[in-house]
Amino acid sequence: MIAEYPPQLLAEVKAKTADRQLTGFTPGQGPINPDLMLVGEAPGRHEEKVNIPFSSASGQELMGFIKSIGYSRSTVYITSVVRQRPYSIKKVKDKKTGELIEKHPNRTPTKKEVLAFAPLFDWELATVKPRLIVPLGNTALQRLLGRNANIGELHGQLLHQKIQQANANHDGYQMSSTKYWIMPMYHPAAVLYARRLEPTIKDDWQKLGREIKTLKK
């Protein structure tokens, strides 16, 4: 388990996101040198409240998939490419009073927000040193492999390639010098919104279970 993040990287994130609609801070969780590092998009409302990654409804789906291949929350490392909850501001009418009230629903993080957290994520990956990285959904996948990577095309495929890392000025990306084992997966929330994907996602996880056993030999 990572004790704490470097203060200078946290300060850099804070400075770069000061004018952004982001709240809370949910740290990554899990052992160092795990077989699997699961990488999500960003915390949601529940994660912000309890400071545990993937602890909401989609997290329950994810725990089921992890368990199906012999792992548990305590044996994998779970993090996200953006550590604070991105929210939007919406004015809606209260059904009882008719008054306008302000709500702050979740939203997808912007590319600028993902880049702001890039040095922190790079540090975390270098510290955790997982055997295999599992990006969950397009936001995490594109952070690693670039804007043209698509989860619909790459899900369930074992890849061995270089990934994007923050450049020296932290204002863009460059490709890593080393290759990483990566297996992109649909975000577990996809099951909640499109149950038709469930058989495909379950098959992908079984494939992941077989591939990680092979990598460990």
Side-chain angles (χ1 to χ4, degrees), residues 1-3 29-35 75-77 124 126-130:
M1 181 76 74
I2 292 176
Q29 185 182 74
I32 302 296
N33 304 127
D35 288 347
T75 59
V76 300
Y77 193 91
E124 187 170 36
T127 303
V128 174
K129 294 183 173 65

Side-chain angles (χ1 to χ4, degrees), residues 36-82:
L36 304 175
M37 182 179 191
L38 309 179
V39 184
E41 177 180 281
R45 193 182 301 277
H46 189 265
E47 286 78 11
E48 178 199 351
K49 196 178 296 182
V50 300
N51 260 0
I52 299 173
F54 277 101
S55 53
S56 58
S58 64
Q60 300 312 307
E61 295 286 348
L62 181 61
M63 293 310 114
F65 297 140
I66 292 170
K67 189 177 179 181
S68 74
I69 59 170
Y71 289 87
S72 65
R73 181 181 283 277
S74 63
T75 59
V76 300
Y77 193 91
I78 306 177
T79 189
S80 56
V81 294
V82 167

Side-chain angles (χ1 to χ4, degrees), residues 77-92:
Y77 193 91
I78 306 177
T79 189
S80 56
V81 294
V82 167
R83 277 321 164 41
Q84 295 178 278
R85 181 174 77 88
Y87 65 91
S88 56
I89 299 175
K90 290 188 176 179
K91 303 265 188 180
V92 295

Side-chain angles (χ1 to χ4, degrees), residues 104-116:
H104 296 168
N106 298 335
R107 62 170 172 81
T108 302
T110 66
K111 286 181 169 52
K112 279 190 176 181
E113 288 164 350
V114 174
L115 179 59

Side-chain angles (χ1 to χ4, degrees), residues 141-190:
L141 177 63
Q142 290 170 3
R143 162 62 178 86
L144 294 174
L145 302 186
R147 67 177 68 180
N148 294 324
N150 186 282
I151 201 73
E153 297 170 3
L154 297 176
H155 69 91
Q157 294 184 38
L158 182 65
L159 310 172
H160 190 226
Q161 61 189 75
K162 296 179 179 181
I163 64 170
Q164 286 190 150
Q165 294 181 329
N167 62 21
N169 294 326
H170 293 181
D171 60 1
Y173 297 106
Q174 62 188 22
M175 297 310 289
S176 61
S177 56
T178 57
K179 290 183 177 181
Y180 293 82
W181 288 104
I182 304 160
M183 195 163 190
M185 307 292 266
Y186 279 109
H187 193 284

